[in-house]
Structure formats: structure tokens, C-alpha cells
Amino acid sequence: MFKDLVLKCRSYRRFYQDVALDNKTLRELVDLARNSASAVNRQPLKYLISGSPEKNALIFSTLHWAGTLKTWPGPVEGERPSGYIIILGDKEIGAGFGLDPGIAAQTILLGAVEKGFGGCMLGAVDKDNLRQLFEYSGRIRNCAGRSARQTEGKDHPGNMTPADSFNYWRDKDEGHHVPKRQLKDIIVAEY
């Protein structure tokens, strides 16, 4: 059921690094994004995919994880993603990319959940360093990164009360808590 996919689609930040994620699976996820909506059907998005441990290490070095957790540098060795999909935008097709990267990213993550794993959207990427490491065309702009392969049981979504902060946090057992605004607090009008 679609609702189950959405509820399982969390921002996972620890992964089974030793479980390989092959490029065939990554291509299948990109194909889902390719078939999703695109503004004016321009389809300006391009993708860099990696299931290679060596290339994954290079990608990981360009990422910044969990912005509100100032002292957490991201997943430790052994808990890092075993695959990446980097969403790029081709400036020759369009100067701006609008909602397309978000639509593609969510489609990819929902597809990942359907396959039994998860990921995390990462907007905090050292884009210049990534471009230099992978030497792709200057006409291509980084939109966002995606990582895949979840570590089970460490993510705890929950409802916020009006007094709570929206900031996520980690407990003493390294469980990741992600408070969500309650439905009654986000519907501004109902007719």
C-alpha cells in the first residue's frame, strides 16, 4: 500500500555498508525518476550513480550529514551508504530545475523503500569538490545527493506537540528521533 511506503520512507543516516548495492538496482531507481513528472516535460535532470566502494568513499567525503547535530560527522565506517544517486541538472536544457529534483528524489526514495531499503536526501554537498572528483561537464550542476541501504531499527519518527522543537536528535543508544508536526497543526483551512 502506498501509505506504508510513505511511512517507511525516512531519512536514514546509518546503513549496512557491507551489503552491496549494484548499479542495476540504482539504474532501476533512476528509471522511476525518469518516468516521473518534469516541469514543461523538459527533463533536465541527469544522474551520477555509484555502487563502487572506492567511488562511494569519494562521494562520502563531499557530504555533510544531519545539520542540526553539530557534533555528529555522519555515519562511521561500516554504517555508510553502499550506493549513491547524485541528481544533476543540465543547464543547456534549462537554467533552473524547479521542483524536478525534489520530485525525482522522493520517487527514488519511495522506490528504494519498495525494494526493502531506504536512503537520505542530502542537500549539503561540497559541489565543487564533487565536480572535481568526478570530472563531469561544467554545464552540469549538482542538485542533490541520495544515499541508499538503511540500518534497521534506529530511526524513530514521532509527533511533536506545539511546544516541541522540530530538530531531530539522537538518544544514548544512537537512535535517531525525527519529530513531525501533527496533522491538525499543518492544515490551515478545511472546507
Side-chain angles (χ1 to χ4, degrees), residues 155-176:
D155 187 55
H156 307 286
N159 287 326
M160 294 170 37
T161 66
D164 288 339
S165 168
F166 61 86
N167 289 336
Y168 43 86
W169 54 280
R170 295 178 95 68
D171 62 28
K172 63 180 175 56
D173 298 318
E174 295 297 309
H176 196 80

Side-chain angles (χ1 to χ4, degrees), residues 54-120:
E54 296 79 20
K55 296 296 185 184
N56 289 349
L58 292 174
I59 293 169
F60 183 85
S61 73
T62 69
L63 305 176
H64 307 285
W65 293 77
T68 66
L69 302 175
K70 301 298 183 201
T71 61
W72 190 62
V76 297
E77 186 66 39
E79 294 184 342
R80 294 178 179 165
S82 59
Y84 289 94
I85 298 173
I86 307 297
I87 299 175
L88 307 167
D90 189 328
K91 295 187 290 187
E92 285 188 6
I93 296 174
F97 310 112
L99 301 176
D100 285 17
I103 293 167
Q106 188 66 13
T107 300
I108 289 166
L109 289 178
L110 288 169
V113 169
E114 184 183 50
K115 290 179 175 293
F117 52 93
C120 184

Side-chain angles (χ1 to χ4, degrees), residues 16-153:
Y16 294 119
Q17 189 172 347
D18 61 339
V19 179
L21 186 58
D22 61 33
N23 282 357
K24 177 182 181 287
T25 301
L26 295 171
R27 279 192 307 274
E28 289 171 359
L29 294 172
V30 168
D31 197 43
L32 292 174
R34 178 185 68 83
N35 282 289
S36 63
S38 175
V40 195
N41 199 33
R42 276 187 324 208
Q43 304 171 52
L45 301 182
K46 304 289 175 81
Y47 302 87
L48 182 156
I49 62 174
S50 174
S52 156
E54 296 79 20
K55 296 296 185 184
N56 289 349
L58 292 174
I59 293 169
F60 183 85
S61 73
T62 69
L63 305 176
H64 307 285
W65 293 77
T68 66
L69 302 175
K70 301 298 183 201
T71 61
W72 190 62
V76 297
E77 186 66 39
E79 294 184 342
R80 294 178 179 165
S82 59
Y84 289 94
I85 298 173
I86 307 297
I87 299 175
L88 307 167
D90 189 328
K91 295 187 290 187
E92 285 188 6
I93 296 174
F97 310 112
L99 301 176
D100 285 17
I103 293 167
Q106 188 66 13
T107 300
I108 289 166
L109 289 178
L110 288 169
V113 169
E114 184 183 50
K115 290 179 175 293
F117 52 93
C120 184
M121 291 186 200
L122 300 168
V125 178
D126 182 343
K127 294 173 175 82
D128 292 334
N129 190 17
L130 188 67
R131 179 186 309 280
Q132 288 176 347
L133 289 170
F134 289 92
E135 301 176 348
Y136 47 84
S137 165
R139 77 178 214 211
I140 302 293
R141 187 179 93 193
N142 296 72
C143 293
R146 307 291 168 261
S147 56
R149 282 285 177 204
Q150 76 188 47
T151 298
E152 295 286 346

